[in-house]
Amino acid sequence: MFGWPLGVFTSLDEGLGIHFDVLAKLAIPTIHLHAPSAAHRSAAEAARAADELRRLNVEVTCVFAGFVGESYTDIPTVERTVGLVPMETRRERVSELKEIANYTAQIGVHAVGLHLGFVSHDTQSGEYQELLDVTRDVCDYCGVKELAVHLETGQEPAELLEEFLTDVERPNLYVNFDPANMILYGCGEPIPALKRLGRFVRSVHCKDAKWSKKPGKTWGTEMPLGAGDVNFAEFLATLAEIRYAGPLTIEREIPQEPERQEQEIRHAVNLLNRLMQA
Ligand code: MG
């Protein structure tokens, strides 16, 4: 018998996630919020969003940053375009991430999440060292605002991520553990990875996926919760074992099919509630 609040990944403006009326319908008390675009991040917009969230009685537990130009088309494209790793966009994205951190603090939330990108496997390389410095800079900026930084899992095996987190040496750097990403990117079995990274895990995405026939080369397939290769009973038991204290945030991004999305999120809510009562 476990007890964590449920959550869902969503956004205030266009794009990802479910509509807010669905939250009320499904009695979901928390969300991960996809950061609004630059045009909607002014102090006035932040105040308006904070009011709206209060009115809806929804707690945002993490704001997730995304950047223009990121593409999840296939694994090599992710490697080239996502997060703070690509050199061509690094400077502007770091400053945008700091703006998103300002917005996060303004709406009264204490964590910013992001995909950092593919961390170099060569920990002695200049690339790796530079990424450590960039991450320290972001953590220090966020630290002053009492914000934690949550790195999304999946783009590297747990051992490498653990080494990276340890090498950054910042007390406000944590992990958003997404078990499906481990499978989608072919980066290892999620349960042992969760055990290994346990002390860093401060938020999770409840998402499911099936392994690709060529793990790490081609995408696995995202599935409705319970229909993929993540064993959610074991996932929740492991969260209890690592004394996880955050919400269970359901992530199912099929905004082009809102009816199916609502139905699958409802199914995920029921499944997680059932497993928590087992
Ligand atoms: Mg995720």
Side-chain angles (χ1 to χ4, degrees):
M1 177 98 173
F2 312 122
W4 296 280
L6 292 181
V8 70
F9 198 114
T10 191
S11 61
L12 283 172
D13 49 8
E14 77 295 333
L16 306 167
I18 61 166
H19 290 293
F20 273 89
D21 56 339
V22 180
L23 287 180
K25 249 197 273 180
L26 299 180
I28 297 175
T30 79
I31 57 170
H32 281 179
L33 182 68
H34 193 262
S37 53
H40 298 286
R41 288 200 301 259
S42 66
E45 290 265 9
R48 201 186 54 75
D51 277 351
E52 179 72 357
L53 291 161
R54 246 190 314 275
R55 191 181 66 74
L56 294 162
N57 201 19
V58 167
E59 185 195 356
V60 181
T61 55
C62 189
V63 172
F64 269 81
F67 304 104
V68 173
E70 290 184 320
S71 166
Y72 291 84
T73 307
D74 52 32
I75 293 177
T77 309
V78 172
E79 195 160 359
R80 219 177 47 246
T81 66
V82 166
L84 303 183
V85 171
M87 284 306 293
E88 318 78 67
T89 48
R90 181 175 286 175
R91 263 183 61 167
E92 62 200 67
R93 285 184 180 176
V94 167
S95 57
E96 181 164 14
L97 182 55
K98 290 177 180 174
E99 285 169 28
I100 291 170
N102 296 344
Y103 176 87
T104 303
Q106 280 161 359
I107 65 169
V109 176
H110 298 290
V112 181
L114 76 151
H115 276 287
L116 192 62
F118 279 80
V119 175
S120 167
H121 287 219
D122 178 1
T123 57
Q124 297 308 311
S125 67
E127 258 173 89
Y128 182 87
Q129 299 298 325
E130 278 173 31
L131 194 63
L132 288 179
D133 286 337
V134 168
T135 311
R136 287 176 185 135
D137 174 39
V138 168
C139 287
D140 291 343
Y141 185 89
C142 288
V144 172
K145 297 181 177 294
E146 298 183 356
L147 296 176
V149 178
H150 293 194
L151 300 184
E152 176 100 3
T153 52
Q155 288 155 1
E156 47 280 315
E159 307 78 62
L160 176 61
L161 186 58
E162 184 187 32
E163 190 170 356
F164 182 78
L165 293 162
T166 308
D167 288 347
V168 174
E169 284 189 299
R170 287 300 183 271
N172 59 334
L173 183 62
Y174 298 108
V175 159
N176 179 76
F177 192 90
D178 185 326
N181 281 354
M182 302 301 297
I183 292 172
L184 289 167
Y185 287 90
C187 278
E189 286 291 346
I191 304 298
L194 178 59
K195 287 184 183 171
R196 178 152 204 150
L197 294 168
R199 67 191 189 280
F200 293 106
V201 175
R202 289 293 173 97
S203 58
V204 299
H205 284 162
C206 292
K207 189 170 92 188
D208 209 347
K210 280 198 173 293
W211 287 92
S212 151
K213 287 200 176 65
K214 295 185 211 158
K217 298 274 185 282
T218 60
W219 282 127
T221 310
E222 191 176 328
M223 300 294 289
L225 212 74
D229 292 326
V230 177
N231 180 334
F232 275 91
E234 217 181 320
F235 183 65
L236 296 194
T238 308
L239 288 176
E241 196 181 304
I242 65 167
R243 298 179 182 280
Y244 176 69
L248 302 179
T249 305
I250 297 159
E251 184 182 23
R252 186 70 172 131
E253 287 164 7
I254 41 171
Q256 66 284 8
E257 295 177 75
E259 275 171 31
R260 190 175 133 218
Q261 186 175 39
E262 181 178 335
Q263 193 192 340
E264 288 188 9
I265 289 172
R266 183 187 299 276
H267 166 77
V269 165
N270 292 339
L271 177 66
L272 292 171
N273 279 331
R274 206 166 56 237
L275 289 173
M276 279 194 277
Q277 282 155 15

